[in-house]
Amino acid sequence: CLVAPSAVAEKIKTYRPVTEQTGFVLGTPGGWNLSYSRYFNEYLGCRITAGVLPGLTTIFGPPALVFGVGAQGNVVIKLAENNSSLTNFSIAAGISRFKVNYPPGQGGTESHRWDYLAVCLDQSWRKLFIEVGISVGTGTVESPQLLAQIGLMFWREKIR
């Protein structure tokens, strides 16, 4: 099967690299997060994600999360990119803080913290964004921890 050189040239001409991503993701570090990525060149960028998790009750009763907040910064390296998808590897540093309410007589309110470094892999298919990673750190949370995000990230492409 041969591809006409003009078809290949047209595909190369219409390809525009992603320069920014902005969106909303669920998961680490804060629960409900806003995220912004900026790519400095074809290979290197950064991402800042921050969010909160308002009080929740569990389906099965106590304990209940009172409040959570977190922020994470990634140094991003593009591994692959085309017109419809983007794959990145990143090294991240983050913080998460949250409080858990226990029933009376079982501990009251407990504050937890997690300061971490992580390695992550993310994939974007236009608006759908998924990131997974593993972190090690300090705080009242066991180490290592798995990290995950899923959400909508809108692309801004370089205009030639």
Side-chain angles (χ1 to χ4, degrees):
C1 175
L2 295 175
V3 176
S6 61
V8 173
E10 184 61 30
K11 188 162 189 120
I12 291 170
K13 189 171 85 175
T14 60
Y15 168 71
R16 298 181 307 184
V18 174
T19 58
E20 294 179 6
Q21 287 180 292
T22 305
F24 173 79
V25 293
L26 297 173
T28 308
W32 301 347
N33 301 287
L34 293 176
S35 188
Y36 174 76
S37 301
R38 174 80 173 130
Y39 297 94
F40 305 115
N41 56 39
E42 293 181 31
Y43 308 104
L44 187 63
C46 68
R47 177 178 306 117
I48 298 172
T49 305
V52 298
L53 189 58
L56 299 172
T57 57
T58 61
I59 296 170
F60 305 105
L65 180 69
V66 176
F67 183 76
V69 63
Q72 177 177 304
N74 297 46
V75 174
V76 178
I77 300 167
K78 284 185 184 179
L79 298 179
E81 179 180 19
N82 62 37
N83 284 334
S84 61
S85 70
L86 173 64
T87 305
N88 294 312
F89 169 81
S90 64
I91 298 172
I95 61 168
S96 288
R97 305 287 187 263
F98 55 96
K99 291 184 179 185
V100 177
N101 239 355
Y102 292 96
Q106 293 185 7
T109 300
E110 238 178 54
S111 294
H112 294 277
R113 68 179 186 78
W114 179 241
D115 302 323
Y116 60 88
L117 295 174
V119 292
C120 305
L121 190 63
D122 69 69
Q123 180 71 45
S124 295
W125 296 275
R126 280 294 168 180
K127 293 178 182 80
L128 178 63
F129 174 85
I130 297 174
E131 179 181 75
V132 294
I134 189 159
S135 66
V136 293
T138 62
T140 56
V141 178
E142 291 183 26
S143 188
Q145 286 287 316
L146 294 177
L147 306 179
Q149 294 179 356
I150 186 168
L152 297 175
M153 295 283 279
F154 299 91
W155 291 9
R156 182 173 182 194
E157 298 170 335
K158 183 176 183 176
I159 298 173
R160 293 183 181 214

